[in-house]
Amino acid sequence: MNEPVATVAGAESRESLTVERAAIDGALDEFCARFLGGMPPAVANAIRYSLLGEGKRLRPVLVLAAFEAAGGRGDATRLAAAVEVVHAYSLVHDDLPCMDDDDMRRGRPTVHKEFGVAAATAAGLAMVPLAVRCALYGAESLGLDDAHSRRIVSELMRASGGGGMIGGQLLDLEGEGRALTLAELERIHNAKTGALICAAVRLGGIAAGASEERIDALGVYGRAIGLAFQITDDVLDVTATTDVLGKTAGRDAVLQKSTYPALLGIEGARARARALVEEGCSALNAEGLLTSRLEHLARYVVARRN
Amino acid sequence: MNEPVATVAGAESRESLTVERAAIDGALDEFCARFLGGMPPAVANAIRYSLLGEGKRLRPVLVLAAFEAAGGRGDATRLAAAVEVVHAYSLVHDDLPCMDDDDMRRGRPTVHKEFGVAAATAAGLAMVPLAVRCALYGAESLGLDDAHSRRIVSELMRASGGGGMIGGQLLDLEGEGRALTLAELERIHNAKTGALICAAVRLGGIAAGASEERIDALGVYGRAIGLAFQITDDVLDVTATTDVLGKTAGRDAVLQKSTYPALLGIEGARARARALVEEGCSALNAEGLLTSRLEHLARYVVARRN
């Protein structure tokens, strides 16, 4: 299962990924130009740094792939990039001294290392309202009607909130130093990482005007690969080097976090991640939504090296 | 200028305020029942504690008064209460040890004193997405079309974000221990307190389907009384007791904050607040929007004792 991304996704997909990532980076750049004016410079600079650093852009790429699979027409790049704003916010706060206390992220100093804790905290806080404005702007530029925009914002906020990402961050923090059961760990991972990845995939379907059945199938896929993503993160934390990861390796052990490899062993964790990928792809297949891109992305989630 | 609220607003207004506050509290209660499920108990409990404590509910009351002045039809209580969710969030984070480090708020222990710093932080973070969902729900229950819902969410998020409340909190924090000019102080106050109060008043007009001219007049009033509110806060911090305030008096001096009384003297600050009230009321009057309620509320903002 250690195939490099290129082999998994194929040269063509790799190239389209590169083009797509550049477009997403362009949208993030546009958001900065459009929405950061009027903010204190410390906040604006920290947000810009956080958004414009290098990233996999997995969530926006998933929005676009789901949008395409569901037959969406038009350019959903801005809408997709709005999901990255929420994700970037979670990274800023995750790295804070009061959370995981990390110095490196995506191969650069973390936001609070570069701009100080107060500015990083405020920047993160400001990124939720920013994400809402970006999502509304993205929906508008895609020509979506207001009912769809509204639903998109509502789903994005549900995934970002106390029942999703933010709640998961707290559970994760509370779980440090305790031995969690597999069910507890899964609940944390589903909330902390799974909810936003799942929302990204669903959003693509909603923006494409998909039926509820198809949106639900996209949700099953999203939830499965969201969990597979986090399991893979846990595995990489013990198997990869800091250099390859672009963030500090071995943090889970330092923070005494319960992880999938600790509970299932490295091979057991990998097998669980692979099973989830199959489960997610089957759900899509049943609704005729399994494009090669969505399949490649699911496999990339578990085969990635950083 | 130390008239008690009852004299200023009159017995009738006082009674209608009491009825309205009860309705707003009811809506906040409903939000908790509707939206806190699925959150970790620590987050849900901290949010509930923060929302259901006693409060002036000034921002929701302003939404309702502006809605009424602009000829709105229907029950805007839920929409109004959504603005309180943003305000309550700002109080939770303002009180944190890394911010103003306060133990008391609204006559009770602050959220982090009751639930711990991690839960309070997560609860505050979760309250922005929550506010968006409450605003969408409030707009829906008022029967607003999606274009209006969308604009409401967009304006609320602009006021809550880096160019508004959150940016103002950072500027406020950065300003501690430094002597600020009046212009700098006004910029902080406008962002930290003024933006959300201004948005509350504008939202009432938008929900009522007011013209842009009238929404703008409501905005001028909102901005003026927002600043007057914060000036009055500064004055009360030096003139009132902790018991009457329901929060620790004299914090500004402890935190070495620049304040209006420090820059203009207590009487000078009060005079500035009164002038702002007149300015705001004039703007409404020019558009035929100056109801007795909006006038009473403006006077209450500077005459209040806590």
Side-chain angles (χ1 to χ4, degrees):
Chain A
M1 266 320 285
N2 267 325
E3 307 154 272
V5 180
T7 315
V8 175
E12 197 192 337
S13 301
R14 196 179 20 154
E15 196 176 309
S16 87
L17 249 183
T18 308
V19 171
E20 213 157 57
R21 281 193 186 128
I24 292 158
D25 288 346
L28 292 170
D29 221 4
E30 188 192 351
F31 293 163
C32 290
R34 193 176 179 97
F35 296 119
L36 302 190
M39 295 191 188
V43 177
N45 292 338
I47 292 177
R48 193 176 291 110
Y49 179 87
S50 151
L51 290 181
L52 304 185
E54 200 170 308
K56 291 185 282 290
R57 310 299 185 214
L58 173 66
R59 290 153 194 80
V61 167
L62 282 168
V63 175
L64 294 173
F67 180 73
E68 183 191 75
R73 292 277 169 269
D75 182 6
T77 309
R78 291 190 183 97
L79 178 63
V83 180
E84 187 73 7
V85 177
V86 177
H87 173 58
Y89 140 69
S90 76
L91 300 182
V92 175
H93 278 194
D94 248 357
D95 292 334
L96 285 174
C98 62
M99 298 283 292
D100 286 357
D101 192 15
D102 217 327
D103 296 349
M104 255 181 88
R105 166 73 69 180
R106 293 172 167 177
R108 301 182 307 170
T110 48
V111 176
H112 68 274
K113 279 282 153 190
E114 196 73 18
F115 298 92
V117 169
T121 306
L125 290 170
M127 285 162 82
V128 181
L130 176 65
V132 174
R133 297 173 71 198
C134 294
L136 287 171
Y137 174 57
E140 191 185 343
S141 79
L142 187 53
L144 292 186
D145 65 28
D146 291 312
H148 281 85
S149 306
R150 195 180 149 136
R151 176 159 180 198
I152 283 169
V153 168
S154 182
E155 294 232 359
L156 187 60
M157 287 301 100
R158 179 196 292 261
S160 312
M165 198 179 75
I166 292 165
Q169 284 182 323
L170 180 70
L171 290 174
D172 188 37
L173 202 61
E174 287 180 345
E176 286 175 9
R178 285 201 303 125
L180 302 178
T181 64
L182 196 60
E184 287 176 317
L185 185 62
E186 196 148 314
R187 178 157 186 238
I188 294 174
H189 281 355
N190 273 331
K192 191 185 169 194
T193 317
L196 189 61
I197 290 181
C198 179
V201 181
R202 284 175 58 89
L203 252 49
I206 295 168
S211 67
E212 292 307 318
E213 289 71 27
R214 299 188 104 198
I215 294 170
D216 284 345
L218 288 165
V220 171
Y221 165 91
R223 184 154 291 271
I225 67 163
L227 186 53
F229 182 90
Q230 187 59 48
I231 293 174
T232 306
D233 241 28
D234 284 3
V235 170
L236 288 172
D237 186 72
V238 286
T239 59
T241 63
T242 295
D243 199 38
V244 170
L245 277 184
K247 63 182 181 183
T248 319
R251 289 297 291 168
D252 292 339
V254 172
L255 299 168
Q256 297 186 272
K257 287 199 182 188
S258 297
T259 64
Y260 273 82
L263 285 168
L264 300 177
I266 290 176
E267 275 319 309
R270 282 180 175 151
R272 174 88 178 105
R274 284 195 300 268
L276 283 162
V277 163
E278 297 314 317
E279 188 186 313
C281 289
S282 298
L284 289 186
N285 205 24
E287 288 288 337
L289 285 162
L290 187 61
T291 59
S292 66
R293 277 185 81 202
L294 284 170
E295 189 170 358
H296 286 149
L297 283 165
R299 300 204 186 287
Y300 161 71
V301 155
V302 298
R304 69 202 167 91
R305 296 201 280 192
N306 63 20
Chain B
M1 268 315 288
N2 267 327
E3 306 155 271
V5 180
T7 315
V8 174
E12 197 191 337
S13 301
R14 196 180 18 152
E15 196 176 309
S16 85
L17 249 183
T18 307
V19 171
E20 213 156 56
R21 280 191 188 132
I24 292 158
D25 288 346
L28 292 169
D29 220 4
E30 188 192 351
F31 292 164
C32 291
R34 195 176 178 95
F35 295 120
L36 302 190
M39 295 192 188
V43 177
N45 292 338
I47 292 178
R48 192 176 292 111
Y49 179 89
S50 150
L51 290 181
L52 303 185
E54 201 169 307
K56 292 185 281 288
R57 311 299 185 215
L58 173 66
R59 290 153 194 80
V61 166
L62 282 168
V63 175
L64 294 174
F67 180 73
E68 184 191 75
R73 292 277 168 270
D75 181 8
T77 309
R78 291 189 183 97
L79 178 64
V83 180
E84 187 73 6
V85 177
V86 176
H87 174 58
Y89 141 69
S90 76
L91 300 182
V92 174
H93 277 194
D94 249 356
D95 291 334
L96 285 174
C98 62
M99 299 283 292
D100 287 356
D101 192 14
D102 218 327
D103 296 348
M104 254 182 89
R105 166 74 69 180
R106 294 173 168 176
R108 300 183 307 170
T110 47
V111 177
H112 67 274
K113 279 281 153 192
E114 196 72 16
F115 298 91
V117 169
T121 306
L125 290 170
M127 285 163 83
V128 181
L130 176 65
V132 174
R133 297 174 73 198
C134 294
L136 287 171
Y137 174 56
E140 192 186 340
S141 79
L142 187 55
L144 292 186
D145 65 28
D146 291 312
H148 281 85
S149 306
R150 194 179 150 136
R151 176 159 180 199
I152 283 169
V153 168
S154 183
E155 293 232 0
L156 186 59
M157 287 301 101
R158 179 196 293 262
S160 312
M165 199 180 72
I166 292 165
Q169 284 181 322
L170 180 72
L171 291 175
D172 188 37
L173 201 62
E174 287 180 345
E176 286 175 9
R178 286 202 301 126
L180 302 178
T181 65
L182 197 59
E184 286 174 317
L185 185 62
E186 194 148 315
R187 180 159 184 239
I188 294 174
H189 281 356
N190 273 332
K192 192 185 168 193
T193 317
L196 189 61
I197 289 181
C198 179
V201 181
R202 284 174 59 90
L203 252 48
I206 294 168
S211 67
E212 293 307 317
E213 290 72 25
R214 298 188 104 198
I215 294 169
D216 284 345
L218 288 166
V220 171
Y221 165 91
R223 185 154 291 273
I225 67 164
L227 187 54
F229 182 91
Q230 187 60 50
I231 293 174
T232 306
D233 240 28
D234 285 3
V235 171
L236 288 172
D237 186 72
V238 286
T239 59
T241 63
T242 295
D243 198 38
V244 170
L245 276 186
K247 62 181 182 183
T248 319
R251 289 298 290 168
D252 292 341
V254 171
L255 299 168
Q256 296 187 274
K257 287 198 183 191
S258 297
T259 65
Y260 273 84
L263 286 168
L264 300 177
I266 290 176
E267 276 318 311
R270 282 180 173 149
R272 174 88 177 105
R274 284 194 300 268
L276 283 162
V277 164
E278 296 314 318
E279 190 186 311
C281 290
S282 298
L284 289 186
N285 206 23
E287 287 289 336
L289 285 163
L290 188 60
T291 59
S292 67
R293 277 185 82 202
L294 283 170
E295 189 169 359
H296 286 148
L297 282 166
R299 300 204 185 286
Y300 160 71
V301 155
V302 298
R304 69 201 167 90
R305 295 201 281 189
N306 62 22

